[in-house]
Amino acid sequence: MKINPDRFLRDLHKLREFGASGIGKGVIRPAYSEADIAARRWLAGRMADAGLQVHFDPVGNLFGLVEGPSILLGSHVDSQPEGGWLDGALGVIAGLEVARAAKEAGGPPVSVVSFQDEEGRFGVTTGSGVWSGQIDLHAADALTDDTGVTFREARGQMADLAGGVIDPDQFTGYIELHIEQGPSLDGSNDQIGVVSDIVGIRDMRITFSGRQNHAGTTPMHLRADAFQALSLFNARINDRFADVVTPHTVWTIGHVALSPNAASIVPGRAAFSMQWRDGDQDRLNRMEQIIRCTASEVAGLTGASVQFGALHGLEPQTMEPTLREALEAGAEAVSPGRWRILPSGALHDATNVARLMPVAMLFVPSIDGISHAFDEDTRESDLVAGLKVLAHAVTRM
Amino acid sequence: MKINPDRFLRDLHKLREFGASGIGKGVIRPAYSEADIAARRWLAGRMADAGLQVHFDPVGNLFGLVEGPSILLGSHVDSQPEGGWLDGALGVIAGLEVARAAKEAGGPPVSVVSFQDEEGRFGVTTGSGVWSGQIDLHAADALTDDTGVTFREARGQMADLAGGVIDPDQFTGYIELHIEQGPSLDGSNDQIGVVSDIVGIRDMRITFSGRQNHAGTTPMHLRADAFQALSLFNARINDRFADVVTPHTVWTIGHVALSPNAASIVPGRAAFSMQWRDGDQDRLNRMEQIIRCTASEVAGLTGASVQFGALHGLEPQTMEPTLREALEAGAEAVSPGRWRILPSGALHDATNVARLMPVAMLFVPSIDGISHAFDEDTRESDLVAGLKVLAHAVTRM
């Protein structure tokens, strides 16, 4: 198989014209937007040009298929509301180039996929979630985006393209090339990362309810200040997690909504997001226990009450050893001494696809670790290195 | 002079229809909102009905005037974003009733005022602040609310009503009746509080700027999380204030705005309100030093930077002895043995007006000390007692 790096880079740059932000190489191509659907139509054309059989499934996942059993390569072409040009696009176009080169060489058999709504305009990794049975289609249809549009309405925008569900049994495995989206490879000057596992994620909304009161006339000792509860909770979980976490564990309070959120009023309510990620399911569960115990304890101390929202999450996924070895061999061939094994802190379609077949992932560096932003970028030499490792692994299998 | 309690209560209940929250007697009537301007138009009509000369000044302070020298009574009709029905409304409608009754009785001469933006949508007690020269109109015009609207734009909503500035020399003094907004009178079962002094206040917006990043791929030790900076700052000032404060000192972080405020993104920015109050100017200054030092120290520790907004504030104000004696005599006549002297922990327009003329204040109880909330309330017998003390004091002078 002879891959063509120029053709690969041309397609990758062409794709960023769909929803180009006009700021750097950034794109605005959320799932089911005009730009996203136009990108998928163009991509379907490129698949057809390569001799692949084009198929859209009921939610807009786009497949480029070969006959008989094949390895599946891909990712997604939808972007964050303000996204970078590489994110999921890299894995899709690299998959297309490898499938195309394999077709030209008469084998091995390679199919390609671009999943829909990986970025979670509705829910989390929605397109691969539905395909893998992680989410029931009926339940997904009821999901809404921030403006109240339902998933069912959104996928209706592509109804003219939609065919039936693709049988996953035709695929022998799934490999996803992706940018790292973190600072690790860029910091160590490595060119390739072979993923050991994708961390699991837990997400819960927590609300402290105290007593809203006048900030001038309510003595400190008579207050039940919901912000003070949040601040104390944060300090205590930081302390207590220290006994449980590894250097790879992360946790974040990223969303806070005080009520009524006014300078002269003691906050009566503090609703916030608590998210934590780790590669070990048991550790995720122990962190959940600390969160629940600490929040209840802090509520007692501050005169507030606490409500826990639904716990959302995905389990950690270990990459399949045979596929991973193929990627390691490819990495050593293409970038000798400049690759390493690392976990994925970000969620990917591969997490869902692992329910259906063996999966593996590889990373190329993100310059300064920047992603989900217009200035997301990777050196073209690194992009091509990733493509070569992917081709190498596919050939080896 | 013969006051009419029924007419007073009818007007007070009518006023809460403007911006009624639909929850209890609560109101949503922030300064310059449609509800606030409609309430002011209605109030102007009631003043005119009472034979008072109606005048709006350039910022929307509404006066009901008599000819020649007079005593000025009043407060404000704007509310907090989620406010109670009595707060400033009580002082305005009680002032209206006393002025109306005085007019009917042929004297003494009483004028009324409803100041604008006492609740500080822009800055602090903005309307009376501008009138008293505490804030220059030009400087006030540049103030913005939480959504970026300027004071200049907001007062433009009332430009069709605006006349010139009212000369304060026509007023011999100012008395403001208000609910206590704290638990003190309600706790001791007193009906009237005569205010000794109003505590001083300091208000400052502080912003920690860290680095916005992916909440899955950014290791904890590489983060500059602006929410973590805020939480650590809060914990440290709570510790350090303990060496400086008295049981009457209060401080509050009531408004927090994270950016981008999303569960999966490490917060890049945390902007928040820091407010503190005390009767002693020196203590207020020492607290400011602790705030500035701690915020700078925490910025250094968390890899964030800190910006301090303008320091707004008002100095502590002692009430004028002659007016206060008139209120004490009124309290003893109306509620013998059921009144007492106490400081005001809340800020009031009276603080600003004290720059122009002698001022005094009286309080009626707040049930359970609740204020700035939909369930703020006071027994009608206590409201009427406050009205009677006000009328008594005015008659005595």
Side-chain angles (χ1 to χ4, degrees):
Chain A
M1 178 191 338
K2 191 169 160 45
I3 53 161
N4 183 335
D6 288 342
R7 185 169 59 176
F8 157 69
L9 290 171
R10 261 198 318 276
D11 279 349
L12 199 51
H13 283 289
K14 174 67 190 176
L15 178 51
R16 72 176 166 86
E17 292 176 15
F18 296 91
S21 69
I23 300 168
K25 299 177 188 160
V27 295
I28 298 172
R29 202 166 59 219
Y32 306 106
S33 63
E34 269 184 46
D36 171 61
I37 295 172
R40 283 170 200 271
R41 285 183 185 274
W42 167 81
L43 181 61
R46 294 300 282 159
M47 288 172 169
D49 293 347
L52 301 169
Q53 190 191 326
V54 171
H55 184 97
F56 286 92
D57 82 358
V59 301
N61 294 323
L62 166 57
F63 292 82
L65 301 167
V66 293
E67 291 282 324
S70 62
I71 181 94
L72 182 65
L73 308 179
S75 189
H76 62 95
V77 299
D78 62 293
S79 84
Q80 286 278 338
E82 294 191 355
W85 71 298
L86 294 171
D87 198 323
L90 171 61
V92 173
I93 300 298
L96 171 65
E97 176 54 29
V98 173
R100 189 159 47 193
K103 197 87 182 169
E104 288 165 354
V110 180
S111 296
V112 194
V113 64
S114 170
F115 289 112
Q116 184 52 289
D117 195 27
E118 194 273 347
E119 298 293 1
R121 177 179 161 192
F122 307 88
V124 177
T125 57
T126 325
S128 59
V130 171
W131 187 48
S132 68
Q134 168 72 22
I135 320 161
D136 175 75
L137 179 58
H138 189 70
D141 270 345
L143 296 171
T144 55
D145 72 2
D146 286 340
T147 67
V149 175
T150 64
F151 184 71
R152 185 187 174 84
E153 286 161 357
R155 72 186 178 92
Q157 301 290 313
M158 297 182 65
D160 58 319
L161 298 169
V165 176
I166 287 291
D167 179 2
D169 288 347
Q170 66 196 288
F171 305 115
T172 55
Y174 172 70
I175 307 181
E176 185 168 354
L177 166 63
H178 208 282
I179 54 169
E180 185 201 341
Q181 306 185 280
S184 177
L185 294 175
D186 193 49
S188 61
N189 200 30
D190 283 309
Q191 195 161 38
I192 298 291
V194 176
V195 174
S196 54
D197 46 74
I198 303 176
V199 302
I201 182 170
R202 297 281 186 277
D203 209 313
M204 185 161 58
R205 177 164 294 263
I206 304 177
T207 304
F208 285 114
S209 298
R211 262 192 320 280
Q212 176 178 329
N213 235 318
H214 190 292
T217 59
T218 314
M220 299 309 281
H221 72 281
L222 291 181
R223 294 184 177 195
D225 182 327
F227 172 73
Q228 292 299 322
L230 164 57
S231 179
L232 183 59
F233 165 79
N234 177 62
R236 294 204 172 189
I237 58 161
N238 285 347
D239 267 4
R240 289 170 190 180
F241 281 171
D243 299 332
V244 173
V245 299
T246 76
H248 293 296
T249 315
V250 293
W251 62 97
T252 307
I253 293 175
H255 181 269
V256 171
L258 300 189
S259 174
N261 210 25
S264 291
I265 306 184
V266 177
R269 200 168 66 244
F272 61 99
S273 63
M274 180 76 234
Q275 187 184 91
W276 61 109
R277 306 185 191 215
D278 192 84
D280 180 58
Q281 200 171 349
D282 181 55
R283 186 172 294 111
L284 289 170
N285 294 341
R286 275 182 288 156
M287 292 174 78
E288 183 189 343
Q289 281 197 313
I290 292 174
I291 288 164
R292 289 186 188 270
C293 290
T294 307
S296 299
E297 173 190 296
V298 163
L301 286 169
T302 56
S305 64
V306 62
Q307 292 87 38
F308 299 101
L311 181 73
H312 300 286
L314 285 168
E315 298 313 315
Q317 280 298 343
T318 303
M319 300 296 95
E320 197 274 332
T322 312
L323 290 178
R324 179 177 146 181
E325 276 163 33
L327 290 173
E328 289 175 18
E332 186 56 31
V334 173
S335 307
R338 289 192 60 207
W339 66 276
R340 62 195 177 91
I341 292 165
L342 80 178
S344 170
L347 196 67
H348 295 288
D349 289 311
T351 303
N352 292 320
V353 180
R355 296 167 64 97
L356 303 172
M357 64 191 79
V359 303
M361 285 196 76
L362 76 160
F363 283 163
V364 291
S366 294
I367 295 173
D368 293 331
I370 294 166
S371 182
H372 287 183
F374 291 151
D375 50 347
E376 166 190 288
D377 210 357
T378 297
R379 273 170 291 276
E380 293 200 344
S381 55
D382 292 345
L383 297 175
V384 171
L387 172 70
K388 286 180 176 169
V389 174
L390 193 62
H392 196 283
V394 166
T395 308
R396 193 173 187 269
M397 276 152 46
Chain B
M1 178 192 339
K2 189 166 160 47
I3 53 161
N4 183 336
D6 287 342
R7 185 170 59 177
F8 156 71
L9 290 172
R10 260 197 320 276
D11 280 348
L12 199 51
H13 282 289
K14 174 68 189 174
L15 178 51
R16 73 177 165 86
E17 293 176 14
F18 296 90
S21 68
I23 300 168
K25 298 177 189 162
V27 295
I28 298 172
R29 202 167 59 219
Y32 305 108
S33 63
E34 268 183 47
D36 171 61
I37 295 173
R40 284 171 199 270
R41 285 184 186 274
W42 166 81
L43 182 61
R46 295 301 283 159
M47 287 172 169
D49 293 346
L52 301 169
Q53 189 192 325
V54 171
H55 184 97
F56 286 92
D57 82 358
V59 300
N61 295 322
L62 166 57
F63 292 83
L65 299 167
V66 294
E67 292 281 325
S70 62
I71 182 95
L72 182 65
L73 308 179
S75 189
H76 63 96
V77 298
D78 63 293
S79 85
Q80 286 281 338
E82 295 190 357
W85 71 297
L86 294 170
D87 198 323
L90 170 61
V92 172
I93 301 297
L96 171 66
E97 176 54 29
V98 173
R100 188 159 49 192
K103 197 87 181 169
E104 288 165 354
V110 179
S111 296
V112 195
V113 64
S114 170
F115 289 112
Q116 184 51 288
D117 195 26
E118 195 271 349
E119 299 293 0
R121 176 179 161 192
F122 306 89
V124 178
T125 57
T126 325
S128 58
V130 170
W131 187 47
S132 68
Q134 167 73 20
I135 319 161
D136 173 75
L137 179 57
H138 189 70
D141 270 345
L143 296 172
T144 55
D145 73 1
D146 287 338
T147 66
V149 175
T150 65
F151 183 71
R152 185 187 174 84
E153 286 162 356
R155 72 186 179 91
Q157 301 290 315
M158 298 182 64
D160 58 319
L161 298 169
V165 175
I166 287 291
D167 179 1
D169 288 348
Q170 67 197 286
F171 305 116
T172 54
Y174 173 71
I175 307 182
E176 185 168 354
L177 166 62
H178 209 282
I179 54 169
E180 185 201 341
Q181 306 186 277
S184 175
L185 294 174
D186 192 49
S188 62
N189 201 28
D190 283 309
Q191 195 161 39
I192 298 289
V194 177
V195 173
S196 54
D197 46 74
I198 304 175
V199 301
I201 182 170
R202 297 283 185 277
D203 209 312
M204 184 161 57
R205 178 165 293 264
I206 304 178
T207 304
F208 285 114
S209 298
R211 262 192 320 279
Q212 177 178 328
N213 236 316
H214 190 293
T217 59
T218 315
M220 299 308 280
H221 72 280
L222 291 180
R223 295 184 177 194
D225 182 327
F227 172 74
Q228 292 299 323
L230 163 58
S231 180
L232 183 59
F233 166 80
N234 176 62
R236 294 205 171 187
I237 60 162
N238 284 347
D239 267 4
R240 289 171 190 178
F241 281 170
D243 299 332
V244 173
V245 299
T246 76
H248 293 296
T249 315
V250 292
W251 63 97
T252 307
I253 293 175
H255 180 267
V256 171
L258 300 189
S259 173
N261 211 26
S264 290
I265 306 184
V266 177
R269 201 168 65 243
F272 61 99
S273 62
M274 180 75 233
Q275 187 184 91
W276 61 109
R277 308 185 190 215
D278 194 84
D280 179 55
Q281 201 170 346
D282 181 54
R283 185 171 296 112
L284 290 170
N285 294 341
R286 275 182 288 156
M287 292 173 78
E288 183 190 343
Q289 281 197 313
I290 291 174
I291 288 164
R292 289 187 187 271
C293 290
T294 306
S296 299
E297 173 190 296
V298 163
L301 287 169
T302 55
S305 63
V306 63
Q307 291 87 38
F308 299 101
L311 181 73
H312 300 286
L314 287 167
E315 300 312 317
Q317 279 296 346
T318 302
M319 299 295 95
E320 197 274 331
T322 312
L323 289 178
R324 179 176 146 181
E325 277 162 32
L327 290 173
E328 289 175 17
E332 187 55 32
V334 173
S335 305
R338 289 193 60 207
W339 66 277
R340 62 194 177 93
I341 292 166
L342 80 178
S344 171
L347 193 67
H348 295 289
D349 290 310
T351 304
N352 291 320
V353 180
R355 296 166 64 98
L356 304 172
M357 65 192 78
V359 304
M361 286 197 74
L362 76 160
F363 283 163
V364 291
S366 294
I367 295 173
D368 293 330
I370 294 166
S371 182
H372 286 182
F374 292 150
D375 51 346
E376 167 190 287
D377 210 358
T378 297
R379 273 170 289 276
E380 293 201 344
S381 55
D382 293 345
L383 297 174
V384 170
L387 172 70
K388 286 180 177 169
V389 174
L390 192 63
H392 196 283
V394 166
T395 310
R396 193 172 187 268
M397 276 153 44

